[in-house]
Amino acid sequence: LASLAFVVLDEAHTYRGVPGAHMAQLLRRLDRVCLRYNARPARVLCTATVGNPEELGRNLLGERDEGGRLETITETGAPQGKRHVVFLDPEESPSTLAIRLLQSALARGLRTIVYCRSRRMTELIGMWAADKAGPYRDRISAYRAGFLPEERRDIEARMASGELLAVVSTSALELGIDIGQLDACVLCGYPGSIASTWQEAGRAGRRKNTALTILVASSSALDQYIVNHPEYFFTRSPENALVHPDNLYVLLGHVKCAAYELPFEEGETYAQGVSTKELLDYLCEEHILNLTGGRYYWMAEGFPAAD
């Protein structure tokens, strides 16, 4: 760790709620051990869809001493072409219309992704679309988290190379995976948040080509509201990511892990807004830590990260 220079968190908006509290503690523990080796890596958080980037960054990264500062960059330099967004409220079922849209896209040679809200619907639309795709049936694939890793890597590679023209997916392909350049994105149902919608729509048009996103609304109340009030969707920023980094239940488990990694010095401050000494003394009373020579040492059996 002595030569560690950068820590990068991609898709930082996913670190919210309880998972975000755990990530904040992991970063704090990493900082603490790095400091032992005189390393102070720069931290970079990447996200295109969050309403409160600065607040999220401060909650995840905490406050460093010695003048550490947080800089927020909100203007993108990525290439971006024209994007068309269409909201449809079909009289037929959303899945039927999604299949027809996919057939139409295939006939025009458009590389397309269809997002479904469930694994079951992903498999069904994939099968129904393949049955009706004629010469394109071998160039369509379903994709979901339940596939074996080697199956998913194969689909990703075939999509990136252009061998596959279309993929029908759950939110498993929403972020973090490069499947190359797509032309069209069909959302079979509203994803549930503005952030997720833009994440999925952003799969198409990642260079300078024109992109098409079609949201096919279901009969659910949320879908119907969005499709009938498009101004709500287009005038609002993505949702805020909320994190309480010092959630006491999460914090206590990470204090154990931190003590296992590197003994605490008496008087050392770890938590913000919570007395570190009280936490350490409590763990001593529970015979998990032992205060000896001004340091709190791990003395319990087992590996604390297992909990």
Side-chain angles (χ1 to χ4, degrees), residues 9-17 19-21 23-24 27 45-62 70 72 239-245:
L9 273 71
D10 198 13
E11 310 294 359
H13 58 274
T14 60
Y15 300 117
R16 57 185 186 267
M23 181 55 72
L27 291 169
L45 276 61
C46 306
T47 173
T49 48
V50 68
N52 58 336
E54 185 168 350
E55 180 186 14
L56 176 63
R58 292 196 184 282
N59 283 335
L60 285 176
L61 302 178
L70 179 72
T72 307
E239 294 80 7
N240 288 357
L242 303 179
V243 182
H244 177 37

Side-chain angles (χ1 to χ4, degrees), residues 39-298:
R40 297 186 68 80
R43 283 87 55 86
V44 182
L45 276 61
C46 306
T47 173
T49 48
V50 68
N52 58 336
E54 185 168 350
E55 180 186 14
L56 176 63
R58 292 196 184 282
N59 283 335
L60 285 176
L61 302 178
E63 297 292 340
R64 273 185 172 173
D65 52 6
E66 299 178 15
R69 75 181 193 279
L70 179 72
E71 183 175 350
T72 307
I73 300 169
T74 55
E75 293 183 11
T76 177
Q80 195 170 21
K82 185 181 293 185
R83 179 181 302 280
H84 300 284
V85 182
V86 181
F87 284 5
L88 294 177
D89 188 9
E91 293 182 357
E92 58 197 326
S93 76
S95 55
T96 301
L97 180 55
I99 292 170
R100 287 174 50 205
L101 290 169
L102 180 55
Q103 286 178 284
S104 182
L106 290 170
R108 289 164 172 77
L110 299 177
R111 296 178 63 186
T112 306
I113 185 166
V114 179
Y115 280 105
C116 303
R117 306 277 68 87
S118 69
R119 291 184 180 187
R120 178 173 174 273
M121 189 53 65
T122 297
E123 291 287 0
L124 288 174
I125 289 182
M127 287 190 295
W128 293 337
D131 286 342
K132 298 180 180 181
Y136 300 105
R137 63 174 298 121
D138 294 328
R139 303 189 70 182
I140 301 174
S141 175
Y143 184 103
R144 57 180 176 79
F147 286 2
L148 294 173
E150 52 266 31
E151 291 179 301
R152 283 184 280 150
R153 298 296 90 80
D154 177 61
I155 294 168
E156 292 160 17
R158 290 166 64 204
M159 197 70 192
S161 69
E163 182 183 340
L164 286 178
L165 262 182
V167 63
V168 183
S169 175
T170 61
S171 59
L173 268 179
E174 183 177 311
L175 22 101
I177 301 168
D178 186 9
I179 54 172
Q181 190 169 328
L182 302 180
D183 302 302
C185 173
V186 178
L187 309 179
C188 192
Y190 179 59
S193 69
I194 293 172
S196 290
T197 304
W198 285 123
Q199 280 288 341
E200 294 182 2
R203 281 296 178 184
R206 304 199 88 170
R207 304 292 187 270
K208 290 186 178 180
N209 60 316
T210 300
L212 171 64
T213 298
I214 302 176
L215 170 62
V216 183
S218 73
S219 59
S220 77
L222 187 55
D223 284 37
Q224 287 300 308
Y225 183 86
I226 291 294
V227 81
N228 286 291
H229 298 82
E231 69 283 353
Y232 173 88
F233 178 83
F234 289 108
T235 58
R236 288 177 177 257
S237 67
E239 294 80 7
N240 288 357
L242 303 179
V243 182
H244 177 37
D246 287 321
N247 174 308
L248 193 58
Y249 186 80
V250 173
L251 173 63
L252 190 62
H254 283 276
V255 168
K256 294 178 188 178
C257 295
Y260 182 90
E261 292 156 353
L262 186 68
F264 277 95
E265 302 282 348
E266 225 176 347
E268 182 179 342
T269 301
Y270 177 80
Q272 297 171 1
V274 181
S275 169
T276 305
K277 183 179 187 308
E278 285 185 17
L279 292 174
L280 296 173
D281 288 344
Y282 167 75
L283 292 174
C284 285
E285 292 171 10
E286 295 295 311
H287 306 292
I288 293 171
L289 301 182
N290 183 35
L291 177 60
T292 304
R295 286 185 174 182
Y296 292 87
Y297 291 92
W298 177 263

